[in-house]
mmCIF file of all heavy atoms in Angstrom:
data_model
loop_
_atom_site.group_PDB
_atom_site.id
_atom_site.type_symbol
_atom_site.label_atom_id
_atom_site.label_comp_id
_atom_site.label_asym_id
_atom_site.label_seq_id
_atom_site.Cartn_x
_atom_site.Cartn_y
_atom_site.Cartn_z
ATOM 1 N N ASP A 292 17.152 9.684 2.440
ATOM 2 C CA ASP A 292 17.833 9.740 3.661
ATOM 3 C C ASP A 292 17.285 8.914 4.778
ATOM 4 O O ASP A 292 17.837 8.755 5.775
ATOM 5 C CB ASP A 292 17.862 11.228 4.178
ATOM 6 C CG ASP A 292 18.522 12.163 3.194
ATOM 7 O OD1 ASP A 292 19.380 11.655 2.404
ATOM 8 O OD2 ASP A 292 18.218 13.345 3.098
ATOM 9 N N TYR A 293 16.070 8.409 4.608
ATOM 10 C CA TYR A 293 15.414 7.694 5.629
ATOM 11 C C TYR A 293 14.852 6.308 5.208
ATOM 12 O O TYR A 293 15.461 5.268 5.689
ATOM 13 C CB TYR A 293 14.271 8.541 6.316
ATOM 14 C CG TYR A 293 14.768 9.863 6.834
ATOM 15 C CD1 TYR A 293 14.784 10.960 6.086
ATOM 16 C CD2 TYR A 293 15.322 9.948 8.169
ATOM 17 C CE1 TYR A 293 15.271 12.175 6.606
ATOM 18 C CE2 TYR A 293 15.869 11.007 8.620
ATOM 19 C CZ TYR A 293 15.828 12.140 7.894
ATOM 20 O OH TYR A 293 16.428 13.374 8.351
ATOM 21 N N TRP A 294 13.847 6.209 4.413
ATOM 22 C CA TRP A 294 13.255 4.887 4.073
ATOM 23 C C TRP A 294 14.349 3.999 3.468
ATOM 24 O O TRP A 294 14.321 2.821 3.866
ATOM 25 C CB TRP A 294 12.111 5.154 3.070
ATOM 26 C CG TRP A 294 10.914 5.688 3.595
ATOM 27 C CD1 TRP A 294 10.418 5.568 4.927
ATOM 28 C CD2 TRP A 294 9.894 6.602 2.989
ATOM 29 N NE1 TRP A 294 9.202 6.157 5.121
ATOM 30 C CE2 TRP A 294 8.931 6.816 3.893
ATOM 31 C CE3 TRP A 294 9.914 7.181 1.702
ATOM 32 C CZ2 TRP A 294 7.778 7.680 3.596
ATOM 33 C CZ3 TRP A 294 8.815 8.056 1.436
ATOM 34 C CH2 TRP A 294 7.827 8.280 2.359
ATOM 35 N N ALA A 295 15.200 4.482 2.665
ATOM 36 C CA ALA A 295 16.280 3.592 2.114
ATOM 37 C C ALA A 295 17.132 3.031 3.091
ATOM 38 O O ALA A 295 17.771 1.930 2.820
ATOM 39 C CB ALA A 295 17.003 4.438 1.054
ATOM 40 N N LYS A 296 17.306 3.627 4.219
ATOM 41 C CA LYS A 296 18.265 3.238 5.266
ATOM 42 C C LYS A 296 17.600 2.377 6.325
ATOM 43 O O LYS A 296 18.333 1.837 7.201
ATOM 44 C CB LYS A 296 18.897 4.467 5.847
ATOM 45 C CG LYS A 296 19.753 5.209 4.782
ATOM 46 C CD LYS A 296 20.347 6.427 5.332
ATOM 47 C CE LYS A 296 21.200 7.239 4.346
ATOM 48 N NZ LYS A 296 21.858 8.472 4.842
ATOM 49 N N TRP A 297 16.286 2.158 6.273
ATOM 50 C CA TRP A 297 15.607 1.388 7.270
ATOM 51 C C TRP A 297 15.396 -0.015 6.687
ATOM 52 O O TRP A 297 14.489 -0.205 5.795
ATOM 53 C CB TRP A 297 14.322 2.044 7.712
ATOM 54 C CG TRP A 297 14.532 3.381 8.397
ATOM 55 C CD1 TRP A 297 15.676 3.791 9.040
ATOM 56 C CD2 TRP A 297 13.667 4.488 8.458
ATOM 57 N NE1 TRP A 297 15.541 4.984 9.545
ATOM 58 C CE2 TRP A 297 14.341 5.549 9.232
ATOM 59 C CE3 TRP A 297 12.443 4.666 7.937
ATOM 60 C CZ2 TRP A 297 13.695 6.726 9.508
ATOM 61 C CZ3 TRP A 297 11.782 5.940 8.193
ATOM 62 C CH2 TRP A 297 12.453 6.973 8.990
ATOM 63 N N PRO A 298 16.095 -1.037 7.129
ATOM 64 C CA PRO A 298 16.095 -2.362 6.485
ATOM 65 C C PRO A 298 14.825 -3.058 6.530
ATOM 66 O O PRO A 298 14.590 -4.050 5.743
ATOM 67 C CB PRO A 298 17.175 -3.098 7.219
ATOM 68 C CG PRO A 298 17.320 -2.427 8.500
ATOM 69 C CD PRO A 298 17.047 -1.007 8.283
ATOM 70 N N GLU A 299 13.923 -2.691 7.486
ATOM 71 C CA GLU A 299 12.624 -3.388 7.592
ATOM 72 C C GLU A 299 11.635 -3.070 6.420
ATOM 73 O O GLU A 299 10.693 -3.807 6.139
ATOM 74 C CB GLU A 299 11.913 -3.104 8.938
ATOM 75 C CG GLU A 299 11.436 -1.664 8.963
ATOM 76 C CD GLU A 299 12.476 -0.697 9.553
ATOM 77 O OE1 GLU A 299 13.663 -1.024 9.606
ATOM 78 O OE2 GLU A 299 12.061 0.433 9.934
ATOM 79 N N LEU A 300 11.968 -2.057 5.709
ATOM 80 C CA LEU A 300 11.032 -1.630 4.561
ATOM 81 C C LEU A 300 11.300 -2.438 3.323
ATOM 82 O O LEU A 300 12.470 -2.465 2.762
ATOM 83 C CB LEU A 300 11.200 -0.115 4.321
ATOM 84 C CG LEU A 300 10.512 0.804 5.362
ATOM 85 C CD1 LEU A 300 10.730 2.210 4.978
ATOM 86 C CD2 LEU A 300 9.047 0.546 5.411
ATOM 87 N N VAL A 301 10.210 -2.961 2.744
ATOM 88 C CA VAL A 301 10.332 -3.693 1.444
ATOM 89 C C VAL A 301 10.094 -2.602 0.367
ATOM 90 O O VAL A 301 10.835 -2.588 -0.749
ATOM 91 C CB VAL A 301 9.267 -4.711 1.354
ATOM 92 C CG1 VAL A 301 9.122 -5.363 -0.067
ATOM 93 C CG2 VAL A 301 9.479 -5.805 2.431
ATOM 94 N N ALA A 302 9.171 -1.773 0.465
ATOM 95 C CA ALA A 302 8.792 -0.762 -0.564
ATOM 96 C C ALA A 302 7.894 0.328 -0.039
ATOM 97 O O ALA A 302 7.308 0.149 1.024
ATOM 98 C CB ALA A 302 8.075 -1.428 -1.762
ATOM 99 N N VAL A 303 7.944 1.458 -0.636
ATOM 100 C CA VAL A 303 7.047 2.566 -0.358
ATOM 101 C C VAL A 303 6.273 2.986 -1.487
ATOM 102 O O VAL A 303 6.891 3.287 -2.610
ATOM 103 C CB VAL A 303 7.892 3.824 0.242
ATOM 104 C CG1 VAL A 303 6.977 4.946 0.637
ATOM 105 C CG2 VAL A 303 8.722 3.317 1.398
ATOM 106 N N LEU A 304 4.924 3.029 -1.481
ATOM 107 C CA LEU A 304 4.037 3.328 -2.581
ATOM 108 C C LEU A 304 3.178 4.488 -2.269
ATOM 109 O O LEU A 304 2.060 4.356 -1.746
ATOM 110 C CB LEU A 304 3.125 2.117 -2.973
ATOM 111 C CG LEU A 304 3.971 0.865 -3.430
ATOM 112 C CD1 LEU A 304 4.271 -0.062 -2.294
ATOM 113 C CD2 LEU A 304 3.205 0.170 -4.465
ATOM 114 N N PRO A 305 3.684 5.760 -2.510
ATOM 115 C CA PRO A 305 2.864 6.935 -2.077
ATOM 116 C C PRO A 305 1.580 6.989 -2.782
ATOM 117 O O PRO A 305 1.397 6.598 -3.925
ATOM 118 C CB PRO A 305 3.798 8.039 -2.546
ATOM 119 C CG PRO A 305 5.188 7.553 -2.644
ATOM 120 C CD PRO A 305 4.960 6.069 -3.096
ATOM 121 N N PHE A 306 0.585 7.524 -1.983
ATOM 122 C CA PHE A 306 -0.730 7.677 -2.586
ATOM 123 C C PHE A 306 -0.863 9.103 -3.045
ATOM 124 O O PHE A 306 -0.615 10.039 -2.354
ATOM 125 C CB PHE A 306 -1.710 7.474 -1.365
ATOM 126 C CG PHE A 306 -3.198 7.523 -1.875
ATOM 127 C CD1 PHE A 306 -3.805 6.432 -2.406
ATOM 128 C CD2 PHE A 306 -3.937 8.690 -1.787
ATOM 129 C CE1 PHE A 306 -5.139 6.404 -2.814
ATOM 130 C CE2 PHE A 306 -5.258 8.760 -2.187
ATOM 131 C CZ PHE A 306 -5.882 7.629 -2.687
ATOM 132 N N GLN A 307 -1.381 9.283 -4.318
ATOM 133 C CA GLN A 307 -1.533 8.313 -5.290
ATOM 134 C C GLN A 307 -1.004 8.878 -6.589
ATOM 135 O O GLN A 307 -0.737 10.135 -6.671
ATOM 136 C CB GLN A 307 -2.982 7.769 -5.319
ATOM 137 C CG GLN A 307 -4.026 8.848 -5.658
ATOM 138 C CD GLN A 307 -4.035 9.349 -7.091
ATOM 139 O OE1 GLN A 307 -4.015 8.574 -8.038
ATOM 140 N NE2 GLN A 307 -4.148 10.585 -7.214
ATOM 141 N N PHE A 308 -0.887 8.124 -7.630
ATOM 142 C CA PHE A 308 -0.088 8.459 -8.753
ATOM 143 C C PHE A 308 -0.753 9.456 -9.660
ATOM 144 O O PHE A 308 -0.235 10.524 -9.975
ATOM 145 C CB PHE A 308 0.231 7.170 -9.613
ATOM 146 C CG PHE A 308 1.277 7.410 -10.682
ATOM 147 C CD1 PHE A 308 2.510 7.860 -10.282
ATOM 148 C CD2 PHE A 308 0.975 7.174 -11.927
ATOM 149 C CE1 PHE A 308 3.494 7.976 -11.333
ATOM 150 C CE2 PHE A 308 1.939 7.309 -13.008
ATOM 151 C CZ PHE A 308 3.179 7.771 -12.640
ATOM 152 N N SER A 309 -1.951 9.114 -10.207
ATOM 153 C CA SER A 309 -2.578 10.039 -11.209
ATOM 154 C C SER A 309 -4.077 9.701 -11.338
ATOM 155 O O SER A 309 -4.406 8.851 -12.077
ATOM 156 C CB SER A 309 -1.846 9.980 -12.565
ATOM 157 O OG SER A 309 -2.475 10.869 -13.493
#
Side-chain angles (χ1 to χ4, degrees):
D292 301 335
Y293 299 95
W294 287 326
K296 297 178 180 179
W297 295 335
E299 69 273 14
L300 282 178
V301 173
V303 181
L304 297 91
F306 185 83
Q307 58 74 45
F308 192 61
S309 181

